[in-house]
């Protein structure tokens, strides 16, 4: 059955009919016209009685201001996270191109996949294929300057088109996901050892931490919800159980598959790279503390019906 189109006024009326307390209907219309009813439903469903089985009535006394407050504060926290990941991403581009150039080669070695271990899964692309894909997609003039327009196969630039391309130029247009693959695949060529050593972190956990940053960065970039979200690719933290206890003493308790776990890994990388020694404590924790529901969902995500709403 096709859902009926509703005006913003009708959307507000539907929320009111279901029991949501709205003190200013015009302000609610404005909010829905900015955010969208469907996106907002991912937040307010936690306050409905049993939406999974069709009971969309809100719990008694639930006000729009409570749920909108979570959304607004989450946006603020997401901006802070995105800015921090950006700094680490640029750092990793720099460290990878520096280490790869020293350990493997400074020319088109990267496009050829030299020193990179291919994935073991059947039918998976080689890491070099991802690099070539990103280079071919790039419209940057500095890439075109090194690209040989005569090296084309079926309308696609081949590896040979980039034989003059320095690794530190190529790295600038790789997606964060491709960069993550390159770092992880470079274990056999001492590049990963070099990068991990420069950050004083175990090479066993660094690739996983980078993957988790890629994952979180992409969710934020595509405006997906991070509140009450369980991370699919959770990072490992250094030091084992003892370190985990120390981290929780410093930063409070959190679930291992929470967004907060990724933030702890990010905070560690910022510190190890001497970028920011107090990011999590100064930028994130005070913002979370200002909204108890947001903090619970970032630290310990819960499914519908399992969240503490008190």
């Amino acid at each position: 059955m096709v859902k009926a189109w509703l005006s913003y006024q009708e959307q507000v009326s539907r929320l009111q009919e279901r029991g949501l307390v709205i003190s200013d209907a015009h302000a609610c219309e404005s909010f829905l016209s900015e955010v969208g009813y469907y996106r907002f439903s991912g937040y307010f469903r936690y306050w409905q009685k049993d939406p999974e089985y069709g009971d969309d009535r809100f719990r008694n006394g639930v006000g729009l201001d409570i749920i909108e407050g979570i959304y607004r504060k989450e946006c603020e926290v997401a901006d802070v996270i995105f800015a921090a990941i950006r700094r680490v991403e640029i750092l990793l581009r720099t460290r990878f191109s520096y280490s790869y150039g020293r350990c493997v080669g400074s020319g088109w070695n990267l496009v050829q996949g030299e020193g990179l271990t291919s994935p073991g899964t059947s039918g998976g692309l080689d890491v070099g294929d991802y690099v070539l894909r990103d280079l071919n997609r790039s419209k940057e003039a500095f890439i075109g300057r090194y690209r040989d327009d005569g090296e084309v196969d079926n309308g696609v630039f081949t590896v040979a088109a980039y034989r003059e391309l320095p690794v530190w130029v190529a790295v600038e247009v790789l997606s964060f996901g491709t960069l993550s693959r390159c770092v992880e695949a470079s274990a056999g060529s001492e590049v990963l050892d070099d990068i991990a050593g420069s950050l004083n972190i175990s090479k066993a956990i660094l690739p996983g931490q980078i993957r988790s940053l890629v994952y979180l960065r992409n969710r934020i970039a595509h405006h997906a919800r991070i509140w009450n979200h369980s991370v699919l690719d959770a990072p490992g933290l250094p030091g084992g159980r003892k370190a985990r206890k120390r981290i929780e003493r410093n930063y409070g308790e959190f679930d291992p598959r929470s967004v907060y776990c990724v933030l702890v890994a990010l905070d560690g990388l910022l510190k190890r790279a001497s970028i920011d020694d107090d990011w999590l404590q100064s930028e994130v924790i005070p913002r979370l503390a200002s909204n108890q529901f947001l903090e619970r969902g970032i630290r310990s995500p819960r499914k519908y019906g399992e969240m503490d709403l008190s």
Side-chain angles (χ1 to χ4, degrees), residues 179-304:
L179 177 67
S180 174
R181 290 185 176 95
C182 288
V183 173
E184 186 168 11
S186 67
S189 57
E190 299 184 3
V191 175
L192 177 56
D193 299 72
D194 205 42
I195 299 170
S198 73
L199 294 171
N200 191 29
I201 190 171
S202 167
K203 68 176 182 179
I205 66 171
L206 179 60
Q209 290 196 346
I210 298 173
R211 285 197 309 272
S212 72
L213 295 183
V214 173
Y215 177 83
L216 184 56
R217 177 234 179 253
N218 288 344
R219 282 196 67 84
I220 294 173
H222 292 95
H223 319 297
R225 178 168 51 86
I226 61 173
W227 175 69
N228 263 341
H229 174 72
S230 293
V231 175
L232 296 178
D233 206 345
L237 299 177
R241 292 182 179 178
K242 291 184 178 179
R244 175 62 185 259
K245 291 180 180 179
R246 174 180 52 79
I247 289 169
E248 290 190 342
R249 282 199 301 270
N250 292 335
Y251 301 127
E253 295 183 357
F254 57 93
D255 291 354
R257 301 191 70 83
S258 65
V259 166
Y260 196 83
C261 185
V262 183
L263 302 187
V264 170
L266 174 57
D267 186 63
L269 288 172
L270 290 167
K271 288 177 179 176
R272 293 170 188 275
S274 299
I275 293 175
D276 193 325
D277 288 334
D278 197 37
W279 175 76
L280 194 57
Q281 286 283 9
S282 63
E283 298 294 331
V284 177
I285 289 178
R287 288 178 167 88
L288 295 182
S290 69
N291 189 301
Q292 62 175 333
F293 296 117
L294 177 66
E295 181 168 30
R296 290 173 192 169
I298 295 294
R299 288 181 180 269
S300 301
R302 294 290 182 264
K303 296 179 181 179
Y304 298 125

Side-chain angles (χ1 to χ4, degrees), residues 1-270:
M1 181 177 177
V2 177
K3 295 277 189 178
W5 178 90
L6 298 177
S7 68
Y8 295 126
Q9 294 89 341
E10 289 170 326
Q11 292 172 24
V12 172
S13 296
R14 173 160 292 183
L15 290 173
Q16 289 176 319
E17 289 166 4
R18 291 175 173 173
L20 183 65
V21 178
I22 299 173
S23 59
D24 187 333
H26 292 297
C28 184
E29 288 175 26
S30 178
F31 176 68
L32 292 174
S33 72
E34 172 193 345
V35 173
Y37 187 99
Y38 182 73
R39 176 184 296 276
F40 189 44
S41 70
Y43 298 79
F44 68 60
R45 281 169 67 85
Y46 285 87
W47 277 266
Q48 291 178 308
K49 292 189 175 181
D50 199 355
E52 187 175 354
Y53 292 96
D55 189 348
D56 293 327
R57 293 174 299 164
F58 285 89
R59 298 172 185 273
N60 292 335
V62 177
L64 172 70
D65 57 330
I66 294 175
I67 310 169
E68 182 181 349
I70 295 170
Y71 180 84
R72 297 291 191 193
K73 184 59 67 170
E74 182 203 45
C75 290
E76 182 181 326
V77 171
D79 287 344
V80 170
I81 296 169
F82 195 84
I85 293 177
R86 177 181 181 275
R87 298 186 71 182
V88 171
E89 179 183 345
I90 292 172
L91 168 84
L92 291 169
R93 290 181 188 277
T94 302
R95 297 288 172 92
F96 178 78
S97 62
Y98 182 88
S99 296
Y100 188 91
R102 186 179 71 83
C103 298
V104 180
S106 60
W108 63 319
N109 314 71
L110 181 63
V111 193
Q112 298 177 88
E114 187 177 340
L116 303 178
T117 304
S118 298
T121 54
S122 174
L125 292 176
D126 288 340
V127 180
D129 293 331
Y130 285 100
V131 174
L132 182 61
R133 179 203 65 182
D134 289 358
L135 290 172
N136 284 343
R137 287 177 176 177
S138 176
K139 305 299 182 184
E140 294 286 356
F142 61 80
I143 293 295
R145 196 173 300 126
Y146 289 99
R147 185 186 284 144
D148 184 348
D149 293 339
E151 296 289 352
V152 177
D153 182 20
N154 291 325
V156 178
F157 291 110
T158 65
V159 170
Y162 299 100
R163 61 169 59 91
E164 302 297 330
L165 181 67
V167 62
W168 50 85
V169 177
V171 164
E172 288 300 309
V173 299
L174 301 183
S175 71
F176 196 12
T178 298
L179 177 67
S180 174
R181 290 185 176 95
C182 288
V183 173
E184 186 168 11
S186 67
S189 57
E190 299 184 3
V191 175
L192 177 56
D193 299 72
D194 205 42
I195 299 170
S198 73
L199 294 171
N200 191 29
I201 190 171
S202 167
K203 68 176 182 179
I205 66 171
L206 179 60
Q209 290 196 346
I210 298 173
R211 285 197 309 272
S212 72
L213 295 183
V214 173
Y215 177 83
L216 184 56
R217 177 234 179 253
N218 288 344
R219 282 196 67 84
I220 294 173
H222 292 95
H223 319 297
R225 178 168 51 86
I226 61 173
W227 175 69
N228 263 341
H229 174 72
S230 293
V231 175
L232 296 178
D233 206 345
L237 299 177
R241 292 182 179 178
K242 291 184 178 179
R244 175 62 185 259
K245 291 180 180 179
R246 174 180 52 79
I247 289 169
E248 290 190 342
R249 282 199 301 270
N250 292 335
Y251 301 127
E253 295 183 357
F254 57 93
D255 291 354
R257 301 191 70 83
S258 65
V259 166
Y260 196 83
C261 185
V262 183
L263 302 187
V264 170
L266 174 57
D267 186 63
L269 288 172
L270 290 167

